[in-house]
């Protein structure tokens, strides 16, 4: 993947676009447009249908369709003659992607990428699908045949197209508002437990994860299982989470040499991944493994978080501090080539003894477990068993494995790396800031706090002017007005960062983002949030941010941020919209927790009525209390600090009123529902109280 337009004279107008995904198609013989006024005006002027192709830079099947179809002069001729061809990067325009994925749903197909939809010049869809092969196969029509048939239909059966488009428009409108006609209700702790108990029935009790192949990490739903366990749902809920985290960490979905998780596995046992790595997956998984460490500390959780953060620092961090969006699955034109190994490659890199150890540890064989005899690394024989087999101390074997992995990593670094999408997306940065902020507290890593601070400072300086948040930043330019998820994710990340730094500027920025988000996205009549700013002109229907998918809905993260702000500022007004929104969504949430995992987290926090702990005293005085509290799994509690002898910032003045050290000792004030208990100065007592509180929720 190139971050620069092709140098040949044959590039199309996508060569001028900042998006790496669009620029991947700059050398196609297709007369591509980016989405915008020029393309839409031409469709209307020439009365031609629009061929809309949506994907993203790290998408393997997008690359396949591009190679098979968009690089073919004959297919390009059919596209250019019959259609106005528009490319959209779904990471830049999630609102368009959300709407037109609905076409595939209405046709009874699974959604995904590449997304291929045919629209009338007034943007109404009349046919769609995902990947189309170059000739009939997989039960799908060949793309050239489809193009000819749709062109014929457009030119000779226009009424049929019109009827189909009207049906789709009506269906998309219903999809966009699905679930918004439910009667408001009140969510309870019993509801959270019931949601968890229903979700756990879908967990694969052998390999972990939900269901069979393909298998996605689904971090928000496993986080919700932990919440249900915390509310009294029973040990099987926690155990299902731990099984999943363990199996993922030992499987091929986890990069055993370089850290970080791939997007999903094509099998049920986490072995062979789709090799792209997404910032949003790793952000949520860092957060989830940090929560697991709070529930039950394990060396494996620490290892995964340390290696994943190091991966993000090494591969996904811009010199200015922001985090990049994604890393490709392919290198040198082959999926996974960078990551897989063969026995002869180990012999070159390692001593015979270490090569034998690694071969058994990762089961690297001449047959392989992937294409062309290659092996995706998974931990098959753990270090303890290897030590027993050899009659050696475990520490010695583990040390040998660490050295072997280091040598393999260094050798792998000399390979051609997968391409990287260097867009900096405001929302996804917010998710990573949130993950780093919690992990920094749990694992006592101030260097991770600095990583999060650098990203937050970058986004606030380059992408937020106090009234407008940009979605994307690239090559020195902030582009595209932010969507609901950008405001929600960033606000949530900043409330988490305040709890790692106690720098009030992050809380102030979060409050300003939330206020602006409500102005732009809240629909009082529907009691729900629009995904795109109110009045967005180029959408065939208005869409609402309800469901949580691979990454959370902005409505869910914004609700989480509002609840945290209520706890951290003492301002009850921050709970008004969360109460309305969770009330509106209660029925759908309880009935379909799998589709609303992150909203379940926000709703669970709302149950505790803006729960918070304010630490009062000098930094040294509160350090023992804070360190102990950071190790407790208390996800609904927001932590604030009132520094002794310093005036309270205006935003926190009301909250900090009367919260002082006790007898010269640091004190912790636990509050729920804006009512506080007596201050605690003993760390052990504070921990016990934080642990027992949920049972009273």
């Amino acid at each position: 993947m190139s971050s620069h337009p092709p140098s040949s004279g044959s590039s199309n107008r996508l060569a001028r676009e900042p998006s790496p995904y669009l620029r991947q198609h700059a050398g196609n013989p297709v007369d591509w447009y980016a989405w915008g006024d020029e393309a839409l005006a031409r469709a209307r002027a020439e009365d031609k249908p629009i061929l809309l192709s949506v994907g993203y830079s790290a998408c393997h099947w997008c690359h396949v369709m591009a190679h098979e179809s968009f690089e073919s002069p004959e297919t390009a001729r059919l596209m250019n003659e019959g259609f106005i061809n528009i490319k959209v990067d779904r990471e830049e325009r999630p609102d368009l992607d959300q709407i037109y994925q609905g076409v595939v749903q209405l046709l009874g197909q699974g959604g995904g990428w590449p997304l291929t939809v045919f629209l009338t010049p007034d943007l109404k869809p009349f046919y769609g699908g995902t990947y189309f092969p170059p000739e009939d196969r997989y039960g799908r029509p060949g793309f050239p045949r489809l193009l000819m048939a749709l062109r014929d239909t457009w030119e000779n059966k226009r009424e049929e197209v019109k009827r189909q488009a009207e049906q789709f428009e009506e269906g998309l409108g219903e999809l966009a508002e699905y679930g918004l006609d439910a009667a408001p209700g009140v969510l309870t702790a019993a509801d959270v437990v019931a949601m968890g108990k229903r979700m756990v029935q879908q967990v694969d009790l052998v390999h972990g994860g939900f269901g069979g192949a393909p298998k996605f990490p689904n971090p928000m739903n496993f986080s919700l299982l932990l919440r249900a366990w915390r509310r009294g749902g029973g040990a099987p809920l926690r155990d299902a989470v731990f099984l999943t985290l363990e199996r993922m960490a030992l499987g091929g979905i986890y990069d055993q040499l370089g850290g970080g998780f791939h997007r999903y596995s094509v099998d049920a046992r986490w072995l062979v991944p789709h090799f792209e790595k997404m910032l949003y997956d790793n952000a949520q998984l860092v957060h989830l493994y940090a929560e697991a460490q709070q529930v039950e500390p394990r060396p494996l959780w620490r290892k995964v978080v340390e290696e994943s953060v190091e991966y993000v620092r090494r591969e996904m961090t811009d010199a200015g501090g922001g985090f990049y969006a994604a890393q490709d699955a392919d290198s040198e034109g082959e999926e996974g080539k960078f990551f897989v190994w063969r026995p002869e490659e180990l012999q070159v890199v390692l001593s015979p003894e270490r090569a034998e150890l690694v071969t058994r540890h990762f089961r690297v064989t001449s047959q392989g477990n992937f294409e062309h005899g290659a092996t995706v690394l998974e931990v098959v024989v753990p270090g303890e068993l290897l030590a027993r087999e050899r009659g050696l101390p475990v520490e010695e074997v583990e040390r040998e494995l660490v050295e072997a992995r280091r040598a393999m990593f260094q050798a792998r670094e000399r390979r051609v790396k997968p391409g990287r999408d260097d867009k900096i997306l405001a929302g996804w940065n917010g998710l990573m800031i949130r993950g780093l902020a919690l992990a920094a507290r749990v694992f006592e890593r101030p260097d991770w706090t600095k990583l999060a601070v650098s990203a937050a400072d970058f986004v606030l300086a380059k992408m937020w002017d106090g009234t407008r948040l940009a979605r994307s930043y690239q090559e020195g330019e902030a582009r595209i007005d932010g969507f609901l998820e950008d405001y929600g994710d960033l606000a949530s990340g900043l409330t988490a960062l305040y709890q790692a730094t106690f720098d009030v500027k992050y809380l102030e920025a979060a409050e300003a983002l939330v206020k602006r988000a409500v102005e732009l996205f809240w629909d009082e009549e529907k009691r729900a949030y629009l995904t795109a700013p109110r009045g967005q002109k180029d959408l065939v229907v208005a869409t609402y941010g309800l469901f949580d998918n691979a990454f959370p809905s902005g409505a869910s993260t914004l609700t989480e941020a509002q609840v945290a702000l209520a706890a951290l500022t003492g301002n009850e007004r921050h709970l008004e919209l969360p109460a309305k929104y969770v009330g509106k969504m209660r029925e759908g949430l309880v009935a379909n927790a799998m589709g609303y995992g992150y909203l379940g987290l926000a709703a669970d926090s709302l149950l505790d009525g803006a729960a918070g702990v304010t630490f009062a005293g000098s930094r040294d005085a509160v350090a023992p209390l804070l360190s102990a509290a950071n190790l407790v799994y208390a996800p609904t509690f927001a932590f604030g600090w009132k520094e002794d002898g310093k005036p309270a910032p205006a935003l926190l003045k009301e909250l900090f009123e009367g919260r002082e050290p006790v007898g010269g000792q640091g004190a912790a004030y636990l509050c729920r529902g804006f009512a506080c208990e007596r201050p605690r100065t003993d760390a052990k007592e504070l921990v016990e109280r934080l642990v027992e509180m949920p049972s009273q929720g």
Side-chain angles (χ1 to χ4, degrees), residues 165-433:
E166 284 168 359
Q167 287 175 355
F168 271 124
E169 186 180 17
E170 186 180 331
L172 291 176
E174 289 171 4
L175 274 180
E177 297 188 10
Y178 179 78
L180 289 180
D181 56 356
V186 178
L187 192 86
T188 65
D191 286 335
V192 175
V193 171
M195 283 151 53
K197 287 187 170 177
R198 272 200 297 277
M199 285 167 68
V200 82
Q201 290 169 10
Q202 298 182 56
V203 172
D204 176 344
L205 295 179
V206 177
H207 304 298
F210 291 108
K215 191 167 272 181
F216 289 80
N218 224 318
M220 63 189 80
N221 285 342
F222 283 104
S223 198
L224 185 54
L225 277 181
L226 283 182
R227 298 289 187 97
W229 164 76
R230 177 177 175 263
R231 294 283 179 197
L237 276 64
R238 176 201 59 204
D239 296 347
V241 178
F242 283 1
L243 169 69
T244 300
L245 296 188
E246 183 181 294
R247 299 320 304 165
M248 283 200 306
L250 300 177
I253 192 172
Y254 182 69
D255 181 350
Q256 298 295 335
L257 298 184
F261 287 87
H262 302 292
R263 201 164 77 87
Y264 65 94
S265 70
V266 300
D267 53 79
R269 69 180 192 88
W270 308 112
L271 171 59
V272 176
H274 252 315
F275 288 90
E276 62 262 46
K277 290 181 179 177
M278 312 302 293
L279 183 66
Y280 60 76
D281 283 325
N282 285 287
Q284 293 177 82
L285 286 162
V286 162
H287 196 278
L288 178 56
Y289 277 89
E291 288 185 317
Q293 178 76 4
Q294 289 177 317
V295 174
E296 184 183 294
R298 291 189 184 181
L300 184 59
W301 310 155
R302 180 183 289 273
K303 173 180 178 289
V304 165
V305 176
E306 286 177 348
E307 292 175 354
S308 296
V309 173
E310 175 56 21
Y311 158 70
V312 170
R313 187 201 63 74
R314 182 182 72 244
E315 301 289 346
M316 302 291 278
T317 305
D318 181 78
F323 300 121
Y324 299 136
Q327 198 173 30
D328 207 340
D330 302 5
S331 53
E332 299 182 83
E334 287 183 38
E335 186 184 12
K337 183 174 183 180
F338 178 77
F339 298 100
V340 296
W341 287 81
R342 291 174 175 79
E344 58 271 23
E345 292 171 321
L346 295 181
Q347 308 294 341
V348 172
V349 173
L350 303 173
S351 68
E353 296 79 13
R354 276 188 184 159
E356 190 273 329
L357 194 68
V358 164
T359 298
R360 181 131 173 75
H361 182 56
F362 288 132
R363 194 183 286 157
V364 181
T365 66
S366 54
Q367 296 81 30
N369 56 25
F370 188 53
E371 299 164 357
H372 314 303
T375 295
V376 178
L377 302 183
E378 63 166 340
V379 176
V380 178
V381 183
E384 310 89 79
L385 186 54
L386 288 170
R388 276 207 302 278
E389 288 173 355
R390 287 159 175 72
L392 295 170
V394 176
E395 297 76 18
E396 186 179 325
V397 170
E398 292 287 4
R399 200 160 48 243
E400 285 295 302
L401 286 172
V402 166
E403 288 302 319
R405 285 172 62 231
R406 184 177 292 129
M408 290 169 70
F409 173 76
Q410 287 167 351
R412 194 181 79 173
E413 284 290 280
R414 294 192 287 274
R415 296 176 180 176
V416 176
K417 287 193 176 185
R420 185 172 57 201
D421 190 321
D422 59 4
K423 287 194 306 296
I424 294 169
L425 297 172
W428 295 8
N429 271 256
L431 294 176
M432 195 72 229
I433 290 163

Side-chain angles (χ1 to χ4, degrees), residues 90-162:
R90 64 111 175 180
E91 293 168 1
E92 290 191 334
R93 288 300 302 267
D95 56 335
L96 291 172
D97 182 53
Q98 181 185 348
I99 288 173
Y100 293 117
Q101 288 286 350
V103 173
V104 189
Q105 284 178 259
L106 291 168
L107 287 168
Q109 305 171 26
W113 301 276
L115 176 67
T116 311
V117 183
F118 296 85
L119 318 175
T120 65
D122 57 355
L123 309 183
K124 295 176 183 176
F126 61 91
Y127 189 75
T130 51
Y131 162 77
F132 288 102
E135 61 276 323
D136 297 4
R137 63 171 183 249
Y138 314 129
R140 300 168 189 245
F143 196 50
R145 187 166 75 82
L146 178 70
L147 293 170
M148 289 186 282
L150 289 175
R151 182 178 179 183
D152 178 65
T153 304
W154 177 259
E155 290 175 353
N156 301 310
K157 302 171 188 170
R158 188 69 65 93
E159 283 305 310
E160 194 180 304
V161 172
K162 204 173 163 187

Side-chain angles (χ1 to χ4, degrees), residues 187-190 230-231 604 607-609 672 692-697:
L187 192 86
T188 65
R230 177 177 175 263
R231 294 283 179 197
D604 180 59
L607 278 178
D608 280 344
R672 284 198 306 178
E692 72 186 12
M693 264 187 158
S695 60
Q696 302 168 3

